[in-house]
Amino acid sequence: RIRRRNEILLIYAVGLEELSPEALIRDENGELIAVASYLDNVGNTEVRGWEIEAEYSHQTQRWGKLNFSLSGHYTHRLLRRRRPSEPMQDDAGIETPDRSVLGDARWSYRNWIVTLNLYYMAPTTVSVPGPSRTFTYRSNVDYIRHTPSTTLAGIGVAYGGFKRCLFGLNLNNL
């Protein structure tokens, strides 16, 4: 569990007049002409989850070296408070995935290196404002969209037979 208090956050004054009335800029007639954003240390965050990383390496007799790695994360809760007067909200899986896994296999033989990787990201929830509306997170939201999970693969080949030089070709997001 990680707890952070008095985080410095970017504050948008729309809907937060009590925090900074001077952020609402008005003309001589009192009409609102601009809204300034500013930084303030009003945020609180509590994160619960885990991260894991494992590696295995095997040197063969004739065929070089094999390396395998696996890493991942899971966010059980991501509780945030963006201003003192509002309750904590659980943002796990909102705007960013709440879980991901990265697997990697590498074969090194003489001056050559071949790498294969696979990356999985869980689905996320995204808030989208309706047309002609200003967007403040979790207000004026007309649509909640759920993005699908994503699995990406990559391959890389490198040659390092030159002094202080390594040439490589990587194909990612396959």
Side-chain angles (χ1 to χ4, degrees):
R1 176 189 292 187
I2 299 171
R3 288 184 182 168
R4 295 184 297 217
R5 290 187 168 82
N6 298 321
E7 288 182 288
I8 297 174
L9 299 176
L10 183 62
I11 304 295
Y12 299 100
V14 176
L16 303 175
E17 294 85 6
E18 74 276 6
L19 286 180
S20 182
E22 65 274 2
L24 301 176
I25 303 167
R26 301 184 183 274
D27 64 8
E28 60 275 353
N29 297 325
E31 293 191 30
L32 185 64
I33 58 171
V35 178
S37 59
Y38 62 97
L39 297 172
D40 201 352
N41 59 344
V42 295
N44 289 325
T45 300
E46 182 178 322
V47 181
R48 294 181 191 174
W50 54 261
E51 290 184 12
I52 188 168
E53 186 172 334
E55 291 187 26
Y56 174 75
S57 182
H58 177 71
Q59 180 70 46
T60 66
Q61 293 289 332
R62 290 190 212 168
W63 298 105
K65 186 175 184 180
L66 291 169
N67 294 315
F68 299 96
S69 66
L70 181 68
S71 62
H73 97 279
Y74 172 71
T75 304
H76 177 66
R77 290 198 182 273
L78 177 58
L79 301 172
R80 285 193 172 140
R81 179 180 296 136
R82 289 177 176 79
R83 60 182 176 161
S85 61
E86 68 183 29
M88 296 287 266
Q89 295 177 332
D90 190 357
D91 288 346
I94 297 176
E95 306 294 334
T96 58
D98 62 352
R99 59 194 179 277
S100 67
V101 177
L102 174 62
D104 184 273
R106 182 185 315 176
W107 175 48
S108 304
Y109 181 70
R110 296 185 184 161
N111 295 321
W112 291 93
I113 302 170
V114 177
T115 305
L116 301 172
N117 58 53
L118 191 63
Y119 184 54
Y120 166 79
M121 293 175 291
T124 60
T125 301
V126 181
S127 302
V128 180
S132 73
R133 288 197 180 181
T134 57
F135 180 68
T136 303
Y137 188 72
R138 288 193 177 172
S139 67
N140 297 331
V141 175
D142 286 343
Y143 308 104
I144 300 291
R145 295 206 178 133
H146 301 283
T147 64
S149 63
T150 303
T151 303
L152 303 171
I155 185 169
V157 178
Y159 180 75
F162 305 105
K163 189 175 183 177
R164 293 196 232 161
C165 196
L166 179 70
F167 292 100
L169 174 66
N170 295 299
L171 300 173
N172 294 313
N173 302 336
L174 301 174

